[in-house]
């Protein structure tokens, strides 16, 4: 039996797809449907607070809107107007490409995702069971949505779920 070049190409493509699918399953990555609501874990937000204090608070402030060097507010109406309704990849990509201003992209890649989780938490988005992914393709499938809560209506939750964790809430 002879196999044509086209047949070999199809078989190779199918094998590659099977290998990639198996790798994704083995890594525990689940496909993210297009325009799914964003999800992050409380653990990511906690790590993000630590990263925020280390790399962001000087410019944006300990309360996310009172920085010594005049960074724009990262909570409340201004933040929600700029980022909610857009893909999570837009926020994380901007942070990676522009922050910190003196050396954009210098943070470890996971730190940008963790800081984004903290910012979402601080803006009243509740943490969930699924982590905010680090891969831009997956982030671009997640939609940033503002929850309808009193904290968001009132200008943003100071630290969302972290407000219940002593020692993790930004101090004025």
């Amino acid at each position: 039996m002879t196999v044509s070049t086209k047949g070999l190409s199809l078989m190779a493509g199918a094998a590659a797809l099977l290998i990639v699918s198996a790798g994704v399953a083995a890594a525990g990555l689940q496909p993210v449907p297009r325009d799914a609501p964003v999800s992050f874990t409380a653990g990511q937000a906690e790590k993000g607070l630590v990263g925020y204090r280390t790399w962001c608070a000087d410019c944006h402030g300990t309360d996310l809107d009172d920085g010594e060097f005049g960074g724009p507010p990262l909570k409340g109406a201004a933040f929600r107007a700029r980022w909610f309704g857009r893909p999570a990849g837009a926020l994380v990509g901007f942070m990676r490409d522009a922050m910190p201003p003196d050396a954009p992209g210098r943070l470890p890649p996971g730190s940008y995702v963790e800081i984004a989780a903290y910012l979402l938490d601080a803006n009243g988005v509740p943490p969930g069971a699924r982590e905010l992914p680090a891969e831009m393709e997956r982030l671009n499938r997640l939609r940033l949505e503002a929850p309808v809560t009193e904290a968001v209506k009132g200008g943003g939750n100071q630290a969302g779920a972290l407000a219940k964790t002593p020692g993790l809430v930004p101090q004025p």
Side-chain angles (χ1 to χ4, degrees):
M1 172 174 129
T2 58
V3 178
S4 69
T5 305
K6 185 176 180 180
L8 283 174
S9 295
L10 286 173
M11 289 187 332
L17 181 60
L18 184 61
I19 290 168
V20 169
S21 297
V24 166
L29 300 175
Q30 298 174 359
V32 176
R34 177 151 305 282
D35 295 327
V38 71
S39 180
F40 60 92
T41 64
Q44 283 181 301
E46 290 171 7
K47 289 177 184 175
L49 172 58
V50 173
Y52 178 86
R53 285 181 175 165
T54 302
W55 295 303
C56 312
D58 284 348
C59 291
H60 297 282
T62 56
D63 287 328
L64 303 166
D65 62 358
D66 60 347
E68 181 180 346
F69 299 108
L74 299 178
K75 72 174 180 182
F79 181 87
R80 290 190 310 272
R82 179 164 185 181
W83 298 109
F84 287 2
R86 299 179 68 189
L91 173 61
V92 174
F94 173 79
M95 291 168 54
R96 183 198 60 219
D97 294 344
M99 296 293 137
D102 63 335
R106 81 168 176 196
L107 306 185
S111 294
Y112 290 104
V113 170
E114 292 164 350
I115 292 169
Y118 168 66
L119 296 178
L120 294 172
D121 184 66
N123 279 279
V125 177
R130 293 176 66 152
E131 286 196 345
L132 187 61
E135 303 83 13
M136 286 305 289
E137 180 180 336
R138 297 181 76 212
L139 285 167
N140 285 326
R141 292 176 174 262
L142 299 173
R143 183 179 61 256
L144 299 176
E145 294 180 338
V148 181
T149 66
E150 290 305 313
V152 171
K153 288 180 189 174
N157 186 356
Q158 179 167 342
L162 296 182
K164 298 177 183 92
T165 308
L168 291 179
V169 178
Q171 302 301 314

